[in-house]
Amino acid sequence: MVDSSVFIAPNFIPTSLYNLAQQLQSAFRDKTIDVTLLIEIGQQLWACSGLPKDTSHISQLVIQQHQDLPWEYLYHPDGYFIAQDLAIIRQSTTTLTKNKQTASPFNILHFSTQVNYSKQHYLNFSEERQFIYQALWLQIQAQQVLLHSSTCHHFEQFKLLLNQRWDMIILSGHSITKEGQQYLAFNSDTAPYLLVSYEEIVTIFQNLSVQCVVLAVCESNDLAFKLHQLGIPCVIGMQYTVLDRAASLFIQQFCQSIMQQSTVTDAVQTARLAMQDLLKQDEQWQENELGQWLMPCLYVQTQTFPLFSQQTPDTQTKPVKQLIGRSRSFCALEKLLQNHKKVWLYGVGGIGKTALAQALQQHFTALHKPIAYLEMGEQSDITNIDSTILAVSRFPPPNQEWISFKLSSPSETAFMHYAQHLGLAYPALQLRLIYKMLQGNYQGLHLLQGLPFSTQAHVLRQQLRTVQRYLQAYQRQ
C-alpha cells in the first residue's frame, strides 16, 4: 500500500450544511449534543467531500479551504468517523516558513488566560498544570525541556513572556463572543476580567519564531487559522466549546507524544483518540462528553518533522504535586524568589504552606533554576546551602536576613475547589459553613474527609466541632 494525502476542496457547499454547523455549535455551547446530530453533519460533509468509499490508500486528509465547517466529523458510509483511522489536517494558502531545528533545551510556555471569570466558567488550571508536568517531568529532570507554566493570568504578563524564546506555546482559558467578535478573558486587578480580541492576540504573535501553538480554548479554530497564516508551522485550535477535562487530557497526551519524537500530526491523532473516553474508572459524570475527541483542528504544513528529537531518559521520577488555588500567593513568592536568596514563608498550620512551597520548588526546577525548600525547625542547618532557599515555618523569621511572606487562609472559592478535589460532595451552602467554622483550614478538610459523610445539618455541625478540637491540638504542636 502506498501512503498518500488526499486534498478536500469542494466547489460547492449547500447552505443547509452551514446551518447544520451552526446548530452543532449551539448544541456544544448548551451541552445538548447527541450522536444523531454528529452523524448527520458527518454524513453531509462526506457527501460534499468527493472522497471514494475505499480510503485504504489514504494516509491523511488535507482541508485546503478555510471554511467554518467541522471536517473532522466526516462520517464514512460504513458507519464510523473517518478521524478514527485517518489524520485530518488543515492548510492555509499563505506561504509558510520551514520547520526550524529546535535548540536544546526544548522551551515550552504554558499559559492560562483566566481561571474563573465567573462562577459558571471555572477552569481547573491546577489539574491541567499537573497533567503537563506529568507528561514532561522525565525530560525536565534531564534538562532536555524547560517549562514555564505560569499561574499569573494577566495579559501584560503573557506579552512579557512572549519576548523570550519558545519552541512550543500552550494557551488555555476562556473565550467570549461579544457582538460578533471573539475575545480571550484574562485576569484583571481592576475589573472582573480583561477582554482581548483575537485580532490583538494575532498582533502579538506576528514576529515570533515559535514552531507550534496549542490553543486549548473554546471556539479557537478561527484564531488557529489566523496564527497559521502568520507562518507558524503548526497550530492547533478547538472547533467548538471544549470541556476542561477534554482539553487538559488532549494537552497531556499531545505533550507525551511530542516527547516520544512523534510528528505534530501523529501527536494530534494520538491525543484525539485518547479523548474518546474522558471518564475515570468507576466514575459517573454529569458533563456531556460526546464529540469532544473530534474537536481539535490542526493547521500544519504538508510535511512535518518531530519537534523534539532527543532520546527519552531511562530514569525514575517521583509523582508530581498538584496545587489547588493560591495563584496570587504563588506569583508573589515567585517574584521574591527571583530577587532574593532567602525567603521565609510562614502562617498557621494546615493552610497549605507545604503544598505551596513544593509547587514553587517544582516550578523553579522546570525552569532549570532549582531552589532549596526547607521545613524550618530548631535543628535546621542552612550553612552549606548555596542555592536560593525557601524556608517554611509556622512562625515569623528569626532575623532580618530573611525576606518574610505571611500566608493567610485561602479564599472561600479556593477552599471550595479544594473540597471538590478531595471528593467532598457537600452543597454550596454547607461548604460555606465548613469554610467559616474551619476558618479555611485545609488540614480540617482532610480530618473531615475521614469522618462518615453526611449532609444532615446537625450531624455536620457536630463533626465540624470535633474537627475544630483536633485543629486546636494540631496548632499547639
Side-chain angles (χ1 to χ4, degrees):
M1 181 183 71
V2 178
D3 286 344
S4 63
S5 298
V6 170
F7 297 85
I8 299 178
N11 294 322
F12 174 73
I13 301 290
T15 303
S16 59
L17 187 51
Y18 287 106
N19 293 337
L20 196 60
Q22 292 180 346
Q23 182 182 342
L24 187 65
Q25 182 180 38
S26 297
F28 273 112
R29 284 179 179 173
D30 300 335
K31 298 182 180 180
T32 58
I33 195 70
D34 63 75
V35 69
T36 303
L37 181 58
L38 296 178
I39 292 176
E40 182 181 0
I41 195 167
Q43 290 174 332
Q44 290 202 25
L45 287 165
W46 177 269
C48 296
S49 69
L51 290 171
K53 187 175 180 181
D54 181 10
T55 59
S56 60
H57 64 288
I58 300 174
S59 61
Q60 62 183 12
L61 300 178
V62 182
I63 313 301
Q64 288 191 300
Q65 295 179 359
H66 178 61
Q67 303 153 333
D68 196 15
L69 291 174
W71 287 103
E72 290 73 15
Y73 291 77
L74 274 167
Y75 195 76
H76 195 276
D78 286 344
Y80 63 92
F81 291 101
I82 284 290
Q84 289 176 316
D85 287 342
L86 301 177
I88 300 177
I89 68 174
R90 298 172 181 240
Q91 272 188 336
S92 166
T93 55
T94 305
T95 301
L96 301 176
T97 58
K98 294 183 179 180
N99 292 74
K100 299 177 182 178
Q101 187 68 35
T102 56
S104 182
F106 187 77
N107 287 4
I108 301 176
L109 171 63
H110 171 226
F111 196 96
S112 178
T113 62
Q114 222 267 7
V115 175
N116 52 341
Y117 72 83
S118 75
K119 291 182 179 179
Q120 291 76 31
H121 297 84
Y122 168 72
L123 173 65
N124 194 345
F125 174 75
S126 61
E127 183 176 85
E128 178 176 290
R129 195 164 183 258
Q130 184 190 30
F131 281 170
I132 293 177
Y133 272 115
Q134 287 174 338
L136 303 174
W137 198 245
L138 278 176
Q139 288 77 17
I140 287 172
Q141 288 183 312
Q143 296 197 343
Q144 296 174 347
V145 168
L146 183 149
L147 170 66
H148 186 111
S149 183
S150 178
T151 62
C152 303
H153 314 285
H154 290 73
F155 183 53
E156 292 303 318
Q157 175 70 8
F158 183 57
K159 289 197 295 184
L160 186 64
L161 287 168
L162 289 185
N163 291 326
Q164 303 177 32
R165 181 188 74 82
W166 303 109
D167 299 301
M168 185 163 74
I169 296 175
I170 302 169
L171 183 63
S172 61
H174 301 289
S175 68
I176 297 177
T177 301
K178 190 175 182 180
E179 297 178 354
Q181 189 169 8
Q182 289 181 295
Y183 300 84
L184 294 181
F186 287 81
N187 268 9
S188 173
D189 293 330
T190 59
Y193 49 82
L194 172 68
L195 293 183
V196 178
S197 69
Y198 279 9
E199 285 71 19
E200 189 168 357
I201 297 296
V202 172
T203 299
I204 64 175
F205 270 85
Q206 280 184 342
N207 297 317
L208 298 187
S209 60
V210 62
Q211 291 296 294
C212 180
V213 176
V214 181
L215 301 172
V217 179
C218 296
E219 300 181 8
S220 54
N221 178 34
D222 188 54
L223 178 57
F225 170 72
K226 292 175 179 177
L227 292 180
H228 191 52
Q229 282 190 309
L230 293 179
I232 299 175
C234 307
V235 188
I236 302 155
M238 299 294 167
Q239 181 81 31
Y240 298 124
T241 302
V242 63
L243 299 176
D244 288 347
R245 184 183 295 188
S248 296
L249 180 59
F250 176 85
I251 292 171
Q252 181 186 33
Q253 294 296 324
F254 178 80
C255 288
Q256 285 180 351
S257 294
I258 292 296
M259 292 299 101
Q260 294 166 3
Q261 304 178 41
S262 296
T263 65
V264 173
T265 302
D266 289 342
V268 167
Q269 189 67 2
T270 299
R272 181 195 299 284
L273 296 178
M275 296 166 69
Q276 287 182 304
D277 186 8
L278 300 179
L279 295 181
K280 299 175 183 178
Q281 189 174 6
D282 300 325
E283 180 184 20
Q284 293 183 346
W285 195 28
Q286 295 180 350
E287 296 274 24
N288 188 333
E289 61 176 324
L290 288 175
Q292 293 287 308
W293 68 282
L294 293 163
M295 203 169 292
C297 299
L298 170 61
Y299 291 88
V300 69
Q301 299 177 43
T302 304
Q303 298 296 326
T304 60
F305 303 89
L307 297 178
F308 183 81
S309 58
Q310 300 184 55
Q311 293 294 326
T312 301
D314 185 17
T315 57
Q316 296 290 328
T317 182
K318 59 184 180 181
V320 176
K321 301 292 184 181
Q322 183 175 358
L323 180 69
I324 310 295
R326 294 295 191 189
S327 60
R328 289 190 177 183
S329 297
F330 186 101
C331 290
L333 278 164
E334 180 187 5
K335 290 179 181 178
L336 289 177
L337 290 163
Q338 287 171 341
N339 298 301
H340 301 280
K341 292 283 289 183
K342 296 168 69 174
V343 178
W344 188 286
L345 171 64
Y346 71 101
V348 299
I351 60 171
K353 298 186 301 297
T354 299
L356 179 56
Q358 290 175 340
L360 282 158
Q361 186 182 45
Q362 187 171 275
H363 173 71
F364 278 97
T365 298
L367 291 172
H368 301 176
K369 300 175 182 178
I371 63 171
Y373 142 63
L374 295 175
E375 295 277 359
M376 299 303 289
E378 294 181 1
Q379 305 299 323
S380 299
D381 181 14
I382 62 170
T383 56
N384 296 322
I385 299 177
D386 295 327
S387 61
T388 299
I389 301 171
L390 175 59
V392 178
S393 173
R394 295 185 184 182
F395 308 102
N399 53 58
Q400 294 184 349
E401 293 181 7
W402 296 90
I403 300 297
S404 66
F405 185 93
K406 184 178 181 181
L407 187 65
S408 58
S409 297
S411 68
E412 183 182 271
T413 301
F415 186 83
M416 293 171 71
H417 289 152
Y418 189 74
Q420 294 167 359
H421 169 71
L422 294 179
L424 296 172
Y426 292 101
L429 286 176
Q430 290 188 328
L431 282 174
R432 292 190 178 97
L433 171 66
I434 295 169
Y435 176 78
K436 183 178 180 180
M437 290 189 66
L438 300 184
Q439 298 181 332
N441 194 288
Y442 287 138
Q443 183 64 29
L445 275 179
H446 285 281
L447 293 169
L448 184 61
Q449 189 182 28
L451 299 175
F453 179 80
S454 175
T455 57
Q456 297 182 26
H458 70 283
V459 174
L460 179 59
R461 284 184 177 274
Q462 184 178 3
Q463 289 178 334
L464 289 173
R465 284 191 288 269
T466 301
V467 171
Q468 284 177 324
R469 290 194 292 271
Y470 276 105
L471 283 179
Q472 290 170 359
Y474 175 70
Q475 299 291 359
R476 290 193 294 267
Q477 292 178 0

